[in-house]
Amino acid sequence: MAMQGLIGAVEAGGTKFVLALATPDGEILERTRLPTNTPVETWPAMAAFFTQASQRHGPIAAFGVASFGPIDIDPASPAYGTFTTTPKPGWSGARFHDALAQFNAPINVDTDVNGAAIGEWQAGAGRGCRTVAYTTIGTGVGTGIIRDGRSLMGISHFESGHILPPHNHNTDPFPGICPYHSDCIEGLASGPAIEQRWGRSLDQLADDPQAIQLIAGYIAHLASTLVLLHMPDRLIFGGGVMKAPGLIEAVRSATLRKLNHYVQHPRVDDGLVSYVVTPGLGDDAGITGAIALGCQAIASP
Ligand code: ZN
C-alpha cells in the first residue's frame, strides 16, 4: 500500500519541543523548536507550525509523537496520549490528541526513550537488528526495547532505571537519590546522582578510574539484565553520562564479567565491541523515531 500525505513529527522533551514535517521516507521538509512552557502556550504554537508547514508542503496524513512522561502510551486506553502524574506544571492531564485534533489524522504516541530507540533501529546503531535495547543514562535512566521496528510495552512503558543493582554499602556508601527506591540504577548512576555523589559530572572525573568503574558496574547490571530478559541483537547506551571517556569500554568489561560466557551467539562478540555500543544518530534519534512512529500510524491506524 503506497503511503500518501506527510508526517507530522513531535519530539517532546522536558525543556524543548522539536517539530518536523517530513515525507514518509524520512526527508524533513521543515523543522522548528519550541520551549516547553505550559500547554496553554506550547499547544497552540505547535498546531500553528503544523498548519503553516502543511499549507506550504501538503496535507498531514499522520502524527508521530515521542514524548517525555509519564504519559499514557496504551492505544487501547481512553487516556492514550495524556500526561499522567508529571511534576511539570500544567502538563498533568494535557493530551496530544486534543492539541492535534484539528488535523483529523491518526496519532501514534510513545515515550521519548522508545522514540529514540526506534530512530536508532531505523537509521543509527541498531540498523539491521531485529531486537534492539536502547538505554539512556542521563537525567533519568530508561530503556526502549524495539522488536522489528516497534516498541514493546506491558501495562505501561518499561522502567528499567528503577531496577535495584547489587549495592555494597562498604565500598560505596552513597545512599542513592531515587525518591522511591534510593539506590536503584537511576538513583545511583543517573547524571543527577553522579553530581550529588561527587559534585561533578562523570566526564569531569577522568582522573578517577574508580568512579568510572563504579558507575560502569551499575550500568552493566542493567546491561546483563537486558541481555538475559530480551536477548537483543544489540544494546545501545546513550545519554549525557555515557559521554564520559572510557565508560562504554568499562561497561563492556563489567557486562562480560557478569554474563561469564553464558550467552553464546555470533552477535555477542568476544569483547562486546559490536554488541554494546553508543548511539549512531546523536541528537537526531528522537525526531527520526517520531517520524517512524507517524509512519506506523498510517500502516496500522
Ligand atoms: Zn527508583
Side-chain angles (χ1 to χ4, degrees):
M1 184 181 70
M3 289 201 277
Q4 298 193 329
L6 301 173
I7 305 296
V10 180
E11 179 192 8
T15 56
K16 69 174 191 294
F17 274 48
V18 178
L19 310 174
L21 187 67
T23 69
D25 300 331
E27 183 196 350
I28 293 177
L29 303 169
E30 215 166 308
R31 70 192 283 167
T32 193
R33 54 175 57 193
L34 303 171
T36 307
N37 296 329
T38 64
V40 175
E41 298 157 278
T42 305
W43 279 163
M46 178 176 75
F49 166 79
F50 285 120
T51 299
Q52 290 159 16
S54 175
Q55 282 166 357
R56 283 189 280 272
H57 300 285
I60 296 172
F63 287 94
V65 176
S67 177
F68 71 97
I71 187 166
D72 188 327
I73 61 165
D74 181 358
S77 162
Y80 180 44
T82 305
F83 289 97
T84 55
T85 54
T86 176
K88 273 191 88 60
W91 288 95
S92 283
R95 188 172 190 233
F96 278 98
H97 294 71
D98 297 333
L100 298 169
Q102 66 195 80
F103 299 96
N104 200 26
I107 304 170
N108 193 6
V109 179
D110 212 328
T111 66
D112 45 5
V113 178
N114 285 342
I118 291 170
E120 285 290 332
W121 172 84
Q122 180 164 297
R127 271 180 297 182
C129 296
R130 290 201 70 191
T131 306
V132 169
Y134 171 90
T135 300
T136 179
I137 314 279
T139 307
V141 174
T143 301
I145 305 292
I146 305 306
R147 172 71 173 170
D148 293 334
R150 302 218 168 219
S151 61
L152 303 185
M153 68 175 292
I155 55 171
S156 181
H157 49 79
F158 298 153
E159 291 282 6
S160 71
H162 297 276
I163 291 170
L164 291 159
H167 180 192
N168 183 331
H169 291 264
N170 295 320
T171 52
D172 178 21
F174 184 69
I177 65 163
C178 176
Y180 292 91
H181 320 108
S182 296
D183 56 353
C184 59
I185 291 164
E186 185 170 299
L188 290 169
S190 63
I194 289 166
E195 283 279 349
Q196 195 157 320
R197 179 200 289 273
W198 286 300
R200 285 182 284 171
S201 64
L202 198 59
D203 57 2
Q204 294 169 316
L205 286 154
D207 54 338
D208 186 353
Q210 283 188 323
I212 295 281
Q213 290 299 326
L214 184 68
I215 298 303
Y218 296 134
I219 297 171
H221 181 73
L222 176 53
S224 57
T225 301
L226 291 170
V227 172
L228 297 172
L229 268 180
H230 291 287
M231 291 291 163
D233 292 83
R234 185 167 291 147
L235 289 82
I236 305 170
F237 284 88
V241 171
M242 291 308 301
K243 291 176 178 161
L247 182 57
I248 189 71
E249 291 83 358
V251 169
R252 286 178 186 133
S253 302
T255 303
L256 274 173
R257 286 195 295 275
K258 283 175 186 280
L259 292 174
N260 198 24
H261 307 290
Y262 182 68
V263 180
Q264 301 282 340
H265 189 276
R267 285 278 190 185
V268 187
D269 59 314
D270 282 345
L272 305 186
V273 173
S274 66
Y275 192 58
V276 176
V277 303
T278 50
L281 290 182
D283 292 341
D284 271 347
I287 199 69
T288 302
I291 295 167
L293 287 166
C295 292
Q296 291 176 8
I298 298 177
S300 56

